[in-house]
Amino acid sequence: MSLDRASLINALRALLPEDAVLEQEEACRPYECDGLSAYRQLPYVVALPHSVDEARAVLKLCHEHRIPVVARGAGTGLSGGALPHAEGVLLSLARLNRILRIDPAGLTATVEPGVRNLAISEAAAPLGLYYAPDPSSQIACTIGGNVAENSGGVHCLKYGLTVHNVCAMKLLTIDGELLELGGTALDAPGYDLMALAIGSEGMLGVAVEITVRLLPVPERAQVALAAFDDVEKAGTAVGEIIAAGIIPAGLEMMDGPAIQAAEDFVHAGYPTDAAAILLCEVDGTNQEVSEHIARIRQVLEASGATEVRTARDEAERALFWKGRKAAFPAVGRISPDYYCMDGTIPRRHLPEVLRRTAELSREYGLPVANVFHAGDGNLHPLILFDANKPGELERTEELGGKILELCVEVGGTITGEHGVGIEKIKQMCVQFQPEELNQFRAVKQAFDPLELLNPGKGVPTPRHCSEYRALPHKHTHEHS
Amino acid sequence: MSADLSRDLQERVAEAAAAGTQLAIAGGGSKAFLGRGERGVPLNVAGHRGVVSYEPRELVITARAGTPLSEIENLLAVQGQMLPFEPPHFDCPLPSPLMKPLPFGIPLAGEGDKVALRPHSIATLGGTIACGLSGPRRPYAGSARDHVLGVRLINGRAEQLRFGGEVMKNVAGYDLSRLQAGAFGTLGVILEVSLKVVPRPAEEITLVQDRYAADSLAYLADLARRPLPLSAACHDGDRLYLRLSGAATAVAQSRSQLGGELLADAGAFWRDKIKEQGHAFFEGGAPLWRLSLPPAAPWLPLPGKFLLDWGGAQRWFRTEAPAELIQQATAKAGGHASLFRGGHGEVFQPLPPAMLALHRRIKHAFDPQHLFNPGRMYASL
């Protein structure tokens, strides 16, 4: 690095308006962590550009002086992807928050990265359109962050992830080049760089303009709530619904502890004596929804549901979902701290994974509540702990790591939608072979040869892995 | 038939890497006509075949690259499922100038054209993903790339790598599996692909309406704004064809809203005429261009004949007009044009210099010696 902190601040002030550079401790403090607050680092300096040109100027400065850059949206990420670098610029895109245009004929919205996920659907609503991916944090999280993480949500079994719903972006590279990726046609010439950029956790470039696809709001949506006295039966019911040829818009599962916490928090009317509940939503034309709900009710009952309810009206439908979407904060109310995991597994292994998670939970003496995107196999075990008890965070992280390795063992992945960030960097050594990690690094080099963008996140160094693999209790996952 | 030749293929690539020999990766050869032509010693992947796993309830199939596409489609059909992106096979014996596809289809007794089992063809899974082509269902169900969940491949360092997996949601590491879709094998030898599959719709009908092609675009844009169970929309120069798929009630309801004449043998129309290009539009010697456009892009005033597919987002164009004219007009309308069959010269829309430079660096990251399919997409890749 060729600039000391004072010189860097002066250089940034020369490029940006006065309010776009934060350096005082109290001003920087809100940026010290993202949604994974166990990891904290006070930013060296924060830059808050108002425009693409200002963002580009920051990147060029950092490139010239070899200064690391960490991009940040709303800071709702759950893997420490936006954790500041101790000697780098924290680049907040929060002020790039304009909806640039909505094209009602082409069914797209073009927005700046700091626009909130839900704000897109709100802006498109008067046209009868919406943006489908709906992470639980959609009130607060930004589309730029969604692109960085390839965020999912509760409706991605039917409507896909961010990568399926974003069609174009302008990407600033670390040397200040503005690339236009994708387009409003259904494909673009050359390599599919949209697939590469989406989910790259701010390590390949900084998205400064994003075009998303909008869909017509379905004529009707209806949700069925089914209670089970056994988690395994609920898991089987999910497979039966798919086998009946129906792809629900959303298919969510919660276990007993999660149901209780959510019910206490939002009073959704959940059956608190159930071992598991399924929320199964279908959407489409009015008659199609009726046809599918009737079929789903049959399947759920045949699968041993102790109770099947459908929402009486739109208000009750919203309430059923509110409980699910508030499950994380609900668990937060009943425990001093909680740690949210994010593995994905082939659904058929659900009973085994839940059983072994429960065993690990007992072994570590830490309760686990399970919230599960059942339709696509994405598990969110929430580990309840108290960070004020010495050693409990470390034990929590170790338990979390074991749950993720269990996911890999049954053919799944360490992260379904929250990203690797700083949090799961060790488990990357379990999921991938050295040659695969080398290939990731080679791709990184193609975009950012000086490794200035979000260094230390996402892809472990060879040294990281050799240290981790050397630990006696670890094993690497052998590919067959 | 099933055989795992991954070790052999890896050795072949290692030898090529040691000797600096360029390789032309080949599956069944059905899409050899696509791109800028093949260069290098053939590396045949067709023998590396077989379905590795298929879990209907997980909506996932994994198969080796040389597995015939028809074998996969037949297996899915038996379970009431399908590949949502409806990939074309292009099983014609000669690459050019323009051949009619082979006759298809032995319908299963009693199933009509809904479950048409076909004789094994030469199109393979690996080639299908490498070319990244999708059929009429693309705008409504997603593309080939959208349904890739994972791949195994050999890179230019002769390493076997696995990216993605068999689960719907996976954000560990960069998405190097979807990147292979449409890369024409220039980034590695695809060994195995995992795909998301979906249930076949309970009901499917096609309505035919009398409309002018140019007028259809505004009509189709209007339909796209409504929550209809559309699954294909094309105008063949004479009439507009709308396919509806879904629950029986939804299809019936939309049929009465939209109107039009019910098409008999609709399965064969979409498969043989449109997807496999058996329609009379595709006959004759004039170069065939593929124009990929924003669906609502207006009618392009270019000299030639159009067939509209993908609700207006994919426009097939027969013309002798020069490439620059076509590509400029298409780019101005927000899309890109590629020379699909016949003609001479560059095939794909040129990339801006900064993008081409990035492509070259990505190519280098996978294949530093430029062993795989050199020049198939662009001269310098």
Side-chain angles (χ1 to χ4, degrees):
Chain A
M1 206 180 337
S2 59
L3 282 183
D4 60 22
R5 182 163 182 266
S7 312
L8 171 62
I9 291 165
N10 283 339
L12 286 169
R13 290 215 190 279
L15 294 170
L16 305 177
E18 200 184 333
D19 68 341
V21 182
L22 306 181
E23 45 134 339
Q24 302 286 333
E25 185 184 330
E26 63 273 28
C28 290
R29 186 64 70 189
Y31 299 90
E32 69 176 353
C33 68
D34 60 13
L36 182 66
S37 57
Y39 292 83
R40 288 170 197 264
Q41 168 64 54
L42 193 67
Y44 198 53
V45 57
V46 178
L48 290 139
H50 300 80
S51 68
V52 174
D53 284 342
E54 288 180 11
R56 185 206 292 246
V58 172
L59 290 175
K60 284 178 112 156
L61 176 78
C62 291
H63 184 243
E64 187 187 340
H65 297 285
R66 312 284 192 265
I67 294 162
V69 181
V70 177
R72 176 187 172 103
T76 57
L78 292 169
S79 58
L83 182 74
H85 190 281
E87 296 182 331
V89 171
L90 192 282
L91 179 67
S92 166
L93 284 314
R95 286 183 182 159
L96 292 177
N97 61 356
R98 292 174 303 162
I99 293 177
L100 300 174
R101 59 190 166 272
I102 292 184
D103 176 1
L107 304 184
T108 59
T110 300
V111 304
E112 292 186 324
V115 170
R116 292 174 305 111
N117 172 296
L118 191 60
I120 300 175
S121 290
E122 285 168 355
L127 300 164
L129 304 171
Y130 79 115
Y131 174 63
D134 59 341
S136 295
S137 56
Q138 71 181 142
I139 295 170
C141 65
T142 64
I143 191 70
N146 291 176
V147 164
E149 304 295 329
N150 190 16
S151 305
V154 299
H155 287 94
C156 50
L157 179 63
K158 182 168 177 182
Y159 294 104
L161 311 162
T162 303
V163 72
H164 301 109
N165 290 278
V166 171
C167 56
M169 71 168 86
K170 290 185 181 168
L171 187 80
L172 274 176
T173 59
I174 184 65
D175 53 357
E177 188 86 53
L178 187 66
L179 299 173
E180 296 193 23
L181 312 184
T184 48
L186 299 188
D187 44 43
Y191 295 143
D192 197 331
L193 299 186
M194 290 297 288
L196 191 49
I198 294 172
S200 64
E201 303 195 23
M203 297 187 293
L204 301 182
V206 178
V208 289
E209 186 180 306
I210 294 152
T211 301
V212 305
R213 282 202 192 287
L214 301 174
L215 296 175
V217 176
E219 196 172 283
R220 181 180 161 213
Q222 173 60 294
V223 64
L225 186 160
F228 292 86
D229 56 13
D230 177 70
V231 174
E232 202 158 325
K233 283 184 198 164
T236 307
V238 171
E240 293 294 330
I241 291 168
I242 304 289
I246 297 170
I247 301 290
L251 188 48
E252 297 288 308
M253 191 193 294
M254 295 163 76
D255 73 357
I259 297 165
Q260 185 70 55
E263 181 58 23
D264 290 347
F265 187 28
V266 305
H267 311 293
Y270 290 168
T272 50
D273 55 343
I277 60 169
L278 279 183
L279 286 173
C280 180
E281 178 158 290
V282 289
D283 63 17
T285 66
N286 190 10
Q287 286 152 326
E288 183 177 29
V289 168
S290 300
E291 188 178 326
H292 281 164
I293 280 285
R295 183 84 187 90
I296 283 167
R297 179 182 278 278
Q298 284 174 356
V299 170
L300 290 169
E301 282 168 356
S303 305
T306 52
E307 183 194 353
V308 181
R309 272 189 251 161
T310 48
R312 282 181 306 249
D313 50 29
E314 195 54 27
E316 193 175 63
R317 186 178 80 86
L319 191 59
F320 282 180
W321 278 115
K322 191 176 172 193
R324 164 60 190 88
K325 289 204 172 186
F328 294 1
V331 167
R333 287 173 75 242
I334 60 167
S335 172
D337 298 284
Y338 71 96
Y339 198 83
C340 175
M341 311 308 298
D342 173 45
T344 305
I345 56 167
R347 238 187 301 102
R348 61 187 177 281
H349 296 298
L350 177 66
E352 180 194 346
V353 170
L354 288 179
R355 193 185 65 243
R356 289 174 60 186
T357 299
E359 284 166 15
L360 285 166
S361 163
R362 275 194 299 276
E363 186 186 325
Y364 280 81
L366 295 166
V368 175
N370 283 288
V371 179
F372 185 38
H373 300 301
D376 41 39
N378 187 196
L379 277 168
H380 292 311
L382 303 166
I383 306 171
L384 280 50
F385 73 105
D386 183 349
N388 287 325
K389 289 189 186 159
E392 196 151 304
L393 173 63
E394 290 71 23
R395 279 198 300 130
T396 298
E397 287 190 302
E398 196 178 311
L399 167 58
K402 289 207 169 170
I403 294 173
L404 296 185
E405 287 170 27
L406 172 59
C407 293
V408 174
E409 187 190 319
V410 301
T413 175
I414 57 170
T415 174
E417 58 183 355
H418 295 171
V420 175
I422 192 81
E423 180 202 20
K424 295 182 263 303
I425 199 125
K426 289 175 185 163
Q427 282 77 29
M428 285 291 282
C429 313
V430 178
Q431 183 160 338
F432 292 100
Q433 297 297 306
E435 296 81 6
E436 293 159 349
L437 295 170
N438 275 335
Q439 186 63 69
F440 287 141
R441 289 182 207 112
V443 169
K444 164 80 169 173
Q445 288 280 321
F447 284 80
D448 177 20
L450 300 173
E451 304 199 9
L452 297 174
L453 287 169
N454 219 1
K457 314 276 179 64
V459 179
T461 61
R463 194 174 56 83
H464 256 130
C465 286
S466 53
E467 284 171 11
Y468 190 63
R469 289 198 173 106
L471 295 175
H473 63 284
K474 301 297 172 196
H475 58 274
T476 58
H477 174 60
E478 293 300 325
H479 295 165
S480 54
Chain B
M1 237 195 320
S2 179
D4 181 356
L5 306 184
S6 48
R7 200 58 68 81
D8 301 347
L9 290 165
Q10 193 176 0
E11 278 169 23
R12 291 283 311 279
V13 174
E15 287 162 16
T21 310
Q22 297 188 321
L23 297 171
I25 306 164
S30 61
K31 295 166 195 72
F33 67 91
L34 281 173
R36 298 175 70 257
E38 297 178 301
R39 227 168 63 205
V41 177
L43 179 73
N44 200 308
V45 184
H48 179 63
R49 60 186 285 183
V51 172
V52 177
S53 72
Y54 173 38
E55 297 286 343
R57 283 174 189 226
E58 306 270 349
L59 303 173
V60 178
I61 191 164
T62 298
R64 297 192 184 103
T67 313
L69 192 53
S70 52
E71 183 181 327
I72 290 168
E73 289 176 333
N74 290 346
L75 188 65
L76 295 174
V78 167
Q79 295 292 331
Q81 296 188 337
M82 64 180 188
L83 296 176
F85 54 98
E86 219 174 5
H89 290 232
F90 296 140
D91 287 337
C92 42
L94 288 173
S96 66
L98 289 157
M99 294 293 301
K100 281 175 107 172
L102 297 171
F104 290 107
I106 311 167
L108 275 183
E111 294 287 344
D113 57 36
K114 279 191 194 166
V115 183
L117 291 189
R118 304 159 35 158
H120 283 181
S121 61
I122 51 175
T124 63
L125 174 63
T128 297
I129 296 306
C131 294
L133 300 179
S134 305
R137 208 179 297 270
R138 156 69 184 100
Y140 315 97
S143 63
R145 164 271 216 190
D146 286 338
H147 293 89
V148 171
L149 298 177
V151 299
R152 246 175 234 278
L153 76 150
I154 305 170
N155 67 7
R157 291 177 287 273
E159 296 164 337
Q160 255 198 67
L161 311 172
R162 182 190 179 204
F163 298 109
E166 297 189 291
V167 291
M168 304 289 162
K169 287 163 87 176
N170 184 357
V171 292
Y174 305 122
D175 190 347
L176 302 189
S177 54
R178 288 192 181 96
L179 180 64
Q180 306 306 319
F184 285 90
T186 58
L187 301 178
V189 182
I190 298 176
L191 288 178
E192 199 176 291
V193 184
S194 298
L195 291 172
K196 181 183 176 186
V197 301
V198 298
R200 300 180 78 88
E203 179 75 17
E204 195 156 271
I205 62 165
T206 296
L207 301 172
V208 190
Q209 298 181 353
D210 283 311
R211 276 178 201 276
Y212 289 113
D215 301 340
S216 300
L217 289 170
Y219 176 68
L220 288 168
D222 177 54
L223 293 189
R225 280 198 294 277
R226 293 159 57 186
L228 294 163
L230 267 183
S231 68
C234 92
H235 195 290
D236 71 348
D238 290 325
R239 299 201 294 172
L240 179 69
Y241 296 78
L242 300 171
R243 186 172 66 187
L244 301 168
S245 307
T249 44
V251 170
Q253 187 184 0
S254 302
R255 180 185 174 186
S256 61
Q257 282 170 10
L258 294 176
E261 180 191 321
L262 198 62
L263 180 69
D265 206 9
F269 172 79
W270 292 107
R271 186 182 61 233
D272 301 342
K273 303 277 190 210
I274 302 302
K275 178 167 77 88
E276 302 296 343
Q277 303 189 339
H279 192 283
F281 171 88
F282 296 100
E283 288 170 11
L288 174 67
W289 287 80
R290 174 180 179 271
L291 276 48
S292 177
L293 287 156
W299 186 263
L300 297 190
L302 287 168
K305 262 193 328 173
F306 279 99
L307 183 145
L308 310 179
D309 194 6
W310 291 10
Q314 177 172 261
R315 303 182 193 176
W316 297 105
F317 184 40
R318 303 299 302 274
T319 188
E320 298 285 357
E324 303 80 68
L325 178 74
I326 300 164
Q327 292 184 326
Q328 273 170 21
T330 313
K332 207 175 150 205
H336 62 101
S338 49
L339 180 57
F340 204 77
R341 291 185 200 251
H344 301 283
E346 285 300 319
V347 167
F348 297 104
Q349 184 104 11
L351 297 172
M355 280 291 273
L356 185 61
L358 178 61
H359 275 66
R360 285 173 53 84
R361 295 197 299 273
I362 292 169
K363 165 78 173 173
H364 183 80
F366 283 89
D367 179 17
Q369 294 188 75
H370 285 228
L371 302 177
F372 302 132
N373 290 357
R376 180 84 187 253
M377 281 180 95
Y378 291 96
S380 63
L381 291 186

